[in-house]
Amino acid sequence: MVFKVASELEPESLGAYVISQANTSSDVLAVMLLQKQFGMTSENGKLMRVVPLFETLNDLMNSPEQLAALFSVNSYIGSINGKQEVMVGYSDSAKDAGRLAACWAQYTAQEAMAKVADKYGVELTFFHGKGGTVGRGGNPALYRAILSHPPNTINGRFRVTEQGEMIRQNFGSLEIAERSLDIYTAALLRESFVKRVEPKQEWRDEMQRVSDASCAAYRETVNEDPRFVPYFRQATPELELGSLNIGSRPAKRNPKGGVESLRAIPWTFAWAQTRMHLSAWLGVGAGLSSGSEEDKRVLREMYEEWPWFREIISLISMLISKTDFSITKNYDDLLVDPSLMSLGNEVREKLVETRKAVIDVSGAQEISGPHVQLIRASSVIRNPYVDSINVVQAEILKMLRSMPADDSPDLTPELKDIKRIRSDALLLSIKGIAQGMKNSG
């Protein structure tokens, strides 16, 4: 039905057909076949670009092999006019494997896919599926973010998602929009004409060690600890986010699933609300920590000489500087079952370890790094307001969770009105914290 409707639209009405959670080359070929079946061709201008989106860690690692299989099909090569677009998923890969492992997989996958495209003579354009927050691949320092991409993967072609609050932030007025486009243009021009830093093999080996250790530590907590999902649902507003009208899509792909079925936006959003920002740093401490003096030397060298690595560490530092122990513990005290409180304490201990590991690598005196004065000044203005909203939000969550369910006979008309007012107050608190943190997912 979708392709029938698409085939009846005017030429060039649609651009790219993005295949979410693409696993194999057959996913792309199936879409091309369906377009052909409904008469959508390049001659009549109705053929859509078919863009596989590689999202999870395994999909990213397998992406070069799948791209090679796709380009080995002569009929496919003949239909794309020597051009292919590939979307790289930042949000779901980070949720799947943790920040550092996802970043390294994205880096190496883009390098390998670019080599495959060169081998088959295909002009490859990467479409970067980033969100506004660090946990979803975002970077407020747009110019540095573009220049930190792997060498030989942009080549004057750069496509990226702008979504949610970032549309207003970067394109909310004519002057701001012009400024944003100026930054994009300047960064792409510099990327094209300035020699980029190629990572040494020593750095690659160290980054692989960091990635493996980070991913293992992240999954040990998120996927293997039976306390994690109940704790996450109690300590954050995750359950309430699904019932509030604040997103364009359902909070979960599978309503009955756990963390793996949760979309990346509410996953990041929920942790940002409680000032834990767990999705951006969990596993980082384990990856950067090492008893080997040689590992420490190499990590320090990577930070000083490799812009890509330095930018990742700087972003993690910025997010950690926004965490607040007293706020997160207040959520635990009010909302979490006593049997799960130990996990909250363990998570905060991991945050302390991560903070120390990041400082050791960067050589900074404080976690805020070179931006300490700016962040400190911003916190002095912001925190008195946001702290108060956090305290109120935790109380509202406690009250709402103690009330009867919407379909319960115990929910009298009077209680229903009270519940509606409290739900409205919760929504306002969510918006207030998101604006204060500038991390709305």
Side-chain angles (χ1 to χ4, degrees):
M1 187 64 178
V2 171
F3 289 92
K4 184 179 185 300
V5 172
S7 68
E8 295 170 354
L9 298 176
E10 292 297 315
E12 300 184 5
S13 296
L14 300 174
Y17 187 101
V18 178
I19 304 174
S20 180
Q21 295 188 326
N23 300 119
T24 65
S25 57
S26 61
D27 294 331
V28 176
L29 295 175
V31 175
M32 292 295 287
L33 181 61
L34 285 166
Q35 291 193 89
K36 182 179 180 180
Q37 180 179 341
F38 286 93
M40 300 170 68
T41 65
S42 55
E43 286 75 17
N44 61 23
K46 295 185 178 183
L47 183 68
M48 293 182 287
R49 306 188 311 278
V50 183
V51 182
L53 167 53
F54 299 111
E55 298 183 82
T56 67
L57 186 67
N58 285 339
D59 290 342
L60 285 167
M61 293 171 65
N62 295 330
S63 59
E65 179 184 340
Q66 299 308 320
L67 213 57
L70 192 62
F71 293 161
S72 65
V73 179
N74 291 333
S75 59
Y76 180 77
I77 284 289
S79 66
I80 62 174
N81 197 27
K83 296 181 180 180
Q84 177 66 50
E85 190 173 321
V86 171
M87 191 169 184
V88 178
Y90 288 74
S91 306
D92 282 283
S93 57
K95 183 167 72 71
D96 176 40
R99 174 72 176 161
L100 286 180
C103 286
W104 184 232
Q106 292 150 13
Y107 190 99
T108 55
Q110 288 177 67
E111 283 186 319
M113 283 191 281
K115 291 178 181 177
V116 170
D118 286 343
K119 176 182 176 181
Y120 286 91
V122 175
E123 181 183 283
L124 186 62
T125 299
F126 285 110
F127 180 10
H128 302 278
K130 300 184 179 187
T133 58
V134 174
R136 296 184 55 231
N139 187 339
L142 180 58
Y143 184 83
R144 296 202 311 269
I146 293 174
L147 293 178
S148 66
H149 279 81
N152 307 313
T153 61
I154 294 180
N155 302 318
R157 302 180 301 276
F158 189 79
R159 191 177 184 207
V160 64
T161 51
E162 289 281 14
Q163 52 189 298
E165 80 287 355
M166 300 308 296
I167 297 175
R168 183 181 71 254
Q169 183 173 314
N170 291 339
F171 299 95
S173 69
L174 179 61
E175 293 78 10
I176 293 175
E178 287 181 347
R179 175 63 175 164
S180 296
L181 292 174
D182 282 347
I183 294 173
Y184 272 113
T185 304
L188 287 175
L189 287 171
R190 182 175 179 184
E191 197 277 338
S192 298
F193 292 105
V194 174
K195 182 175 174 55
R196 305 287 304 287
V197 175
E198 293 277 359
K200 304 175 185 177
Q201 187 57 47
E202 183 182 38
W203 298 353
R204 290 179 180 275
D205 294 341
E206 180 64 18
M207 196 60 223
Q208 191 59 55
R209 182 200 68 78
V210 168
S211 172
D212 292 342
S214 173
C215 182
Y218 176 88
R219 288 178 170 174
E220 181 182 15
T221 298
V222 174
N223 301 117
E224 299 171 16
D225 193 323
R227 300 172 297 169
F228 184 79
V229 172
Y231 173 78
F232 170 53
R233 288 177 172 164
Q234 291 180 31
T236 73
E238 185 264 329
L239 289 173
E240 287 74 15
L241 291 175
S243 62
L244 297 173
N245 187 26
I246 56 176
S248 60
R249 295 175 291 180
K252 286 189 173 185
R253 294 183 173 94
N254 176 6
K256 296 181 180 180
V259 171
E260 74 285 348
S261 67
L262 189 68
R263 292 189 186 276
I265 293 176
W267 166 249
T268 303
F269 197 114
W271 289 115
Q273 287 287 302
T274 64
R275 310 275 283 278
M276 178 64 81
H277 298 289
L278 177 141
S279 60
W281 60 262
L282 183 63
V284 171
L288 297 180
S289 299
S290 174
S292 166
E293 289 300 320
E294 179 63 13
D295 284 339
K296 293 177 182 178
R297 181 195 67 77
V298 175
L299 284 170
R300 181 66 182 151
E301 181 182 275
M302 290 162 60
Y303 180 82
E304 292 175 348
E305 300 180 17
W306 191 7
W308 175 81
F309 184 72
R310 182 168 58 249
E311 195 63 23
I312 289 174
I313 298 300
S314 296
L315 286 171
I316 293 171
S317 298
M318 182 268 289
L319 252 296
I320 292 177
S321 72
K322 288 187 175 184
T323 59
D324 191 302
F325 273 42
S326 60
I327 294 295
T328 59
K329 190 172 187 310
N330 184 57
Y331 279 87
D332 283 9
D333 293 341
L334 289 176
L335 304 172
V336 175
D337 187 274
S339 64
L340 301 173
M341 295 283 280
S342 59
L343 180 57
N345 293 329
E346 290 170 23
V347 168
R348 283 185 283 275
E349 288 173 6
K350 291 178 189 294
L351 178 56
V352 173
E353 294 170 2
T354 302
R355 185 190 298 261
K356 181 181 183 304
V358 170
I359 288 176
D360 288 345
V361 169
S362 67
Q365 297 299 313
E366 297 190 41
I367 192 64
S368 303
H371 309 295
V372 59
Q373 296 299 330
L374 178 61
I375 292 177
R376 185 176 292 164
S378 176
S379 298
V380 168
I381 298 171
R382 177 186 66 227
N383 284 359
Y385 299 97
V386 183
D387 290 353
S388 302
I389 300 174
N390 275 119
V391 172
V392 171
Q393 184 186 82
E395 293 288 350
I396 294 172
L397 286 169
K398 181 180 180 181
M399 290 187 289
L400 280 172
R401 291 176 182 178
S402 67
M403 298 187 75
D406 290 342
D407 58 353
S408 171
D410 296 331
L411 189 67
T412 64
E414 181 181 1
L415 285 177
K416 190 173 183 179
D417 285 341
I418 294 173
K419 192 171 186 179
R420 177 182 56 79
I421 293 171
R422 288 175 178 172
S423 294
D424 289 344
L426 176 62
L427 179 57
L428 286 174
S429 73
I430 288 172
K431 290 181 177 178
I433 294 168
Q435 287 296 317
M437 289 289 99
K438 296 192 178 297
N439 288 97
S440 57

